Amino acid sequence: MEVSVDHLADRRDNRRYEIRLPLHYRVSEKGAPPRSGSGTTCELSTSGLSFRCRRALPVGTHIEMTVDWPPRYGDIYPIDLVMTGFIVRSMGGRTAVRVSSRKFRVNAAEVSYQATA
């Protein structure tokens, strides 16, 4: 019987995609004020995300993330991918998150309009 080494090395249920996008996060830890920061995504799937940031984040804490999605709605409005989850690993400037919710949000508030006369 032949066993694939790739299968043993990667036990994830969902395929991860290597995508580099700007990310903003907010970490909520019980008994401490929320912390926020920014980083860059490394890998992304429906159930997980890894990203790089400047400092290690506390494992087990709740995190809210907003990813700047490249396409625009109607070629005008920015789209954000909003995700929440729990930090499962954080070391060496890389953080891994088990995602519990995800949704796309059209961010019409960021669009500025210019009056034409």
Side-chain angles (χ1 to χ4, degrees):
M1 180 170 117
E2 219 175 286
V3 177
S4 169
V5 175
D6 291 336
H7 176 68
L8 294 175
D10 191 355
R11 298 175 291 155
R12 298 178 181 125
D13 291 334
N14 300 319
R15 182 171 178 202
R16 289 210 176 178
Y17 298 92
E18 289 185 21
I19 299 175
R20 308 284 185 263
L21 296 171
L23 168 137
H24 306 281
Y25 65 84
R26 191 175 90 182
V27 177
S28 303
E29 191 173 13
K30 198 171 193 173
R35 294 194 285 182
S36 59
S38 60
T40 304
T41 62
C42 299
E43 293 180 322
L44 179 66
S45 80
T46 56
S47 62
L49 166 77
S50 67
F51 67 95
R52 292 203 173 277
C53 61
R54 290 187 175 185
R55 59 182 162 189
L57 300 174
V59 173
T61 58
H62 185 261
I63 185 168
E64 298 172 18
M65 302 160 289
T66 303
V67 178
D68 297 338
W69 206 246
R72 293 180 170 260
Y73 180 75
D75 292 331
I76 298 171
Y77 303 109
I79 299 173
D80 294 330
L81 173 58
V82 180
M83 305 172 91
T84 62
F86 293 90
I87 298 171
V88 293
R89 275 186 312 285
S90 188
M91 61 179 164
R94 190 161 176 169
T95 300
V97 176
R98 181 176 27 93
V99 172
S100 53
S101 73
R102 69 206 84 46
K103 67 179 176 181
F104 284 102
R105 175 181 68 197
V106 176
N107 198 346
E110 286 189 17
V111 176
S112 61
Y113 294 96
Q114 293 182 346
T116 57

